[in-house]
Amino acid sequence: MGAILAIISSPVLEPGENEQERKPGPKSRDQTAEKAADKLYNLSLPALANLPPEVTLKILSNLTATEVCLAGCVISTWSDITEDDMLWLQLVKADWKYAAFVQERILEQSWESFKKLYLIMDEAQLIFAINPMKGVEYLQDNQILSNDAGDIALYLHTTEKLKREELCTYLLQHRPDVLEEFVKLEDYTNQSVLPNVLRNFLTKFPASRCNLGKEQLLTLLLKFSFRYSECNPQFNLSQDVVYNICCSLMLLGYDFKHPLIKNKMSKREFIRNTRDLTPGVTNDYLGHMYDNVYLIGPVVR
């Protein structure tokens, strides 16, 4: 809004008037600044209210849902335009990428308006933060989600607003079948720095915030290892080899950060401990894994 006001209030050069003529001298600089401030202060909203509808829509398309609603309240002539169905469909797809993937299915349904759809999805997100099962059921009751594990996984994977703690609870405690599909949506093709890839994956399941137990962490490592190996056959790393490297990296990070462990594991010790569990992997490769954890930090946060 501020940018729009500034554009509208900016001075326009008259024909034949050049910038040098308009440029204030040192003595008049303060006076010019004062006049500009007065002009901005006295600017009234009718200039915005009288914009053509297509320009108004273009402006609104760059705002968030909350800002769109506020714009309709502040500028009375915009109230009808802020209810535009295509504007709200765009907002739905911007805030929930899932809607963009299943747009055809959503368009087939008889929605009262896409603003109503937006409010339902926003409400579902709030319910999910309190009770993940209820949040998913709310979307299913409104025929936005099906009970198909792949469909639910797509929604969870593409919705960044969901709280990580509840996501962990839902996937690891209630719907392991959805977790399976969730991991399949990860794409690790040609990502050769394994500790970085594992670290990024585990940020979706922060151990400290989700209170992950040993079994749950190992389950995540198993799922990750299979997917990483599947995405990168050119690396010749089997699922078992990837899993063993991941476990070694997890233990190495624990060794580094635990305050009671005074004698930290050396690179030579890490290679010696991991080598027999990872046939076909060179010492140099394992050494790079060690360096990554040493320099960047543990893979489990």
Side-chain angles (χ1 to χ4, degrees):
M1 285 282 188
I4 299 164
L5 291 171
I7 292 169
I8 293 172
S9 62
S10 60
V12 181
L13 291 175
E14 298 294 334
E17 186 179 10
N18 59 45
E19 288 192 24
Q20 189 174 2
E21 292 170 345
R22 289 184 59 91
K23 187 177 178 181
K27 294 181 181 179
S28 61
R29 220 168 261 165
D30 292 341
Q31 189 179 0
T32 304
E34 220 173 281
K35 287 180 180 179
D38 288 341
K39 188 174 181 181
L40 278 172
Y41 181 80
N42 294 322
L43 181 69
S44 56
L45 288 178
L48 285 175
N50 295 331
L51 288 174
E54 58 273 18
V55 176
T56 301
L57 267 177
K58 185 67 176 176
I59 294 169
L60 293 173
S61 66
N62 289 285
L63 304 181
T64 65
T66 302
E67 291 167 343
V68 168
C69 293
L70 289 173
C73 295
V74 173
I75 306 174
S76 58
T77 56
W78 284 16
S79 58
D80 290 339
I81 302 176
T82 56
E83 299 294 324
D84 182 83
D85 237 18
M86 289 301 101
L87 173 64
W88 281 98
L89 177 59
Q90 180 181 324
L91 287 168
V92 168
K93 292 193 291 184
D95 284 3
W96 288 279
K97 295 176 183 177
Y98 168 80
F101 285 102
V102 296
Q103 179 173 323
E104 288 185 11
R105 192 175 75 200
I106 287 176
L107 292 175
E108 286 174 359
Q109 299 184 42
S110 303
W111 295 103
E112 179 185 328
S113 68
F114 287 121
K115 182 178 181 180
K116 176 70 172 177
L117 172 61
Y118 185 100
L119 294 174
I120 289 173
M121 298 194 76
D122 193 52
E123 182 72 15
Q125 174 194 320
L126 297 175
I127 297 172
F128 189 93
I130 300 170
N131 186 321
M133 295 292 288
K134 293 292 184 183
V136 171
E137 287 172 9
Y138 182 75
L139 288 172
Q140 291 170 340
D141 291 343
N142 284 280
Q143 300 181 335
I144 295 172
L145 272 183
S146 69
N147 197 42
D148 176 69
D151 194 38
I152 298 172
L154 180 61
Y155 169 75
L156 298 178
H157 193 269
T158 56
T159 306
E160 298 175 358
K161 295 181 177 183
L162 299 178
K163 291 182 68 175
R164 296 300 181 192
E165 296 90 331
E166 279 64 40
L167 182 65
C168 290
T169 300
Y170 184 81
L171 292 174
L172 291 167
Q173 295 183 18
H174 300 298
R175 294 294 299 268
D177 56 329
V178 176
L179 173 62
E180 191 84 29
E181 298 297 325
F182 184 93
V183 177
K184 287 180 183 178
L185 294 171
E186 297 284 307
D187 184 10
Y188 303 131
T189 306
N190 295 324
Q191 297 187 36
S192 59
V193 186
L194 180 57
N196 288 349
V197 184
L198 177 59
R199 195 178 286 111
N200 289 336
F201 171 71
L202 291 177
T203 57
K204 297 179 172 67
F205 308 92
S208 58
R209 286 161 51 192
C210 298
N211 296 318
L212 296 182
K214 179 182 175 182
E215 289 185 7
Q216 291 173 319
L217 267 175
L218 293 180
T219 297
L220 289 173
L221 292 184
L222 275 172
K223 304 292 183 188
F224 169 83
S225 302
F226 178 80
R227 183 59 180 161
Y228 184 84
S229 179
E230 184 179 45
C231 288
N232 296 291
Q234 72 277 16
F235 295 156
N236 295 318
L237 296 173
S238 68
Q239 178 188 354
D240 289 341
V241 168
V242 175
Y243 176 76
N244 288 333
I245 293 175
C246 289
C247 289
S248 293
L249 291 172
M250 186 177 70
L251 293 174
L252 178 64
Y254 180 81
D255 182 274
F256 281 160
K257 73 177 183 180
H258 201 290
L260 296 180
I261 300 177
K262 302 302 181 185
N263 298 318
K264 305 301 183 184
M265 191 184 303
S266 67
K267 183 187 291 189
R268 181 178 297 177
E269 289 171 327
F270 175 76
I271 293 173
R272 186 185 65 228
N273 296 339
T274 311
R275 185 170 46 206
D276 292 341
L277 301 172
T278 55
V281 176
T282 65
N283 288 352
D284 284 344
Y285 183 84
L286 293 176
H288 290 318
M289 302 296 103
Y290 179 95
D291 292 339
N292 182 286
V293 175
Y294 182 81
L295 294 172
I296 299 178
V299 292
V300 180
R301 301 294 175 90

